[in-house]
Amino acid sequence: ARVYVPEEAVAIQNASSYEMGQYISDTIEKLMAQEERSMLVLFTSHELLSTVYHQVQPRLLEKGQEVLAQGISGSREKILKRNVLLGADSFWEGVDLPGTALQLLIVTRLPFENPKRPLVQAKYAYLEAEGIQPFAQEAVPKAALRLRQALGRLIRSEEDRGALLILDRRLVTAKYGKRLIKAFPKGLSVKEAPMPEILEELKEFLNK
């Protein structure tokens, strides 16, 4: 497996949903133009998933590539049979796509829980009352586990080969990024590079 973080990735903290959607859609198009392989794109937000679907679906359909999205264009069983799959929630941990069924995986955002959700707010308030730092001792370990589960969608056996692109530069710029990277198997390097360089490496790596 290879893990990449594109240098051009949008700064999530400052980007609108439309800007993020445009960047993710453009990245999907570039990858599909070169590789034409089945791709799973994982989201933490159904709103952003819907934005990307409506931006990229007409453009890829013109090229004969079908895009299906969880909650928009079919059941999970139907979705699993298509070129580009846009998923959230259970798709992070409950999908089995061995071998060439999946060789490209995109994580659109680091999988932190939404701190504005009432249940998450209540849990964090309880942890603080117990003297536990919610972000460092709850949020970061949970996000690390979800990233490892995402990688597990890609590599299901010793024969599998695939690439994971994380479109969130906080993985390599934030202090907690090192803790997230440690969740990956030992020896798996994370490379930050320009998208043209990533595409060139993928062409060689995936076609070995």
Side-chain angles (χ1 to χ4, degrees):
R2 299 274 179 92
V3 180
Y4 293 101
V5 180
E7 285 182 356
E8 302 90 340
V10 174
I12 281 175
Q13 302 91 319
N14 308 320
S16 68
S17 180
Y18 179 82
E19 288 170 331
M20 276 300 300
Q22 193 66 54
Y23 169 65
I24 294 166
S25 299
D26 289 346
T27 302
I28 291 170
E29 273 201 277
K30 287 174 184 174
L31 284 165
M32 289 301 291
Q34 174 175 293
E35 296 298 331
E36 291 194 355
R37 299 170 187 270
S38 290
M39 179 191 306
L40 175 61
V41 187
L42 292 175
F43 294 81
T44 59
S45 159
H46 284 273
E47 179 188 356
L48 184 56
L49 185 156
S50 178
T51 298
V52 170
Y53 174 76
H54 289 105
Q55 287 181 357
V56 81
Q57 192 264 351
R59 284 141 56 176
L60 289 185
L61 198 59
E62 286 182 2
K63 302 170 186 174
Q65 296 165 336
E66 188 169 9
V67 182
L68 288 185
Q70 180 185 0
I72 299 175
S73 53
S75 67
R76 176 164 145 163
E77 289 71 27
K78 183 182 177 186
I79 285 174
L80 293 180
K81 298 174 183 175
R82 294 301 182 261
N83 288 116
V84 180
L85 324 174
L86 311 182
D89 306 327
S90 63
F91 277 77
W92 283 82
E93 57 193 62
V95 180
D96 189 8
L97 297 165
T100 56
L102 179 65
Q103 290 187 302
L104 288 170
L105 174 64
I106 294 178
V107 166
T108 56
R109 186 178 186 134
L110 294 178
F112 289 110
E113 292 181 306
N114 185 344
K116 294 180 181 178
R117 288 179 182 167
L119 280 175
V120 177
Q121 285 182 335
K123 179 170 62 177
Y124 285 3
Y126 171 78
L127 291 173
E128 284 180 345
E130 294 292 311
I132 298 170
Q133 292 183 326
F135 185 75
Q137 295 175 260
E138 173 74 9
V140 171
K142 272 199 167 181
L145 176 62
R146 291 201 92 189
L147 278 179
R148 190 178 178 91
Q149 288 171 331
L151 186 66
R153 309 285 63 78
L154 192 63
I155 305 299
R156 305 292 286 175
S157 74
E158 291 181 5
E159 290 76 34
D160 283 356
R161 175 187 298 269
L164 166 60
L165 273 73
I166 299 177
L167 307 185
D168 189 336
R169 294 191 66 247
R170 292 178 298 173
L171 185 72
V172 292
T173 60
K175 289 182 179 178
Y176 56 77
K178 291 180 181 177
R179 290 181 62 192
L180 297 177
I181 291 171
K182 281 183 180 178
F184 292 133
K186 287 183 180 179
L188 182 65
S189 65
V190 175
K191 181 174 182 178
E192 185 183 19
M195 196 62 193
E197 184 179 329
I198 292 172
L199 288 169
E200 194 60 36
E201 288 194 16
L202 287 180
K203 187 188 296 182
E204 182 182 344
F205 174 63
L206 294 177
N207 287 293
K208 276 185 179 177

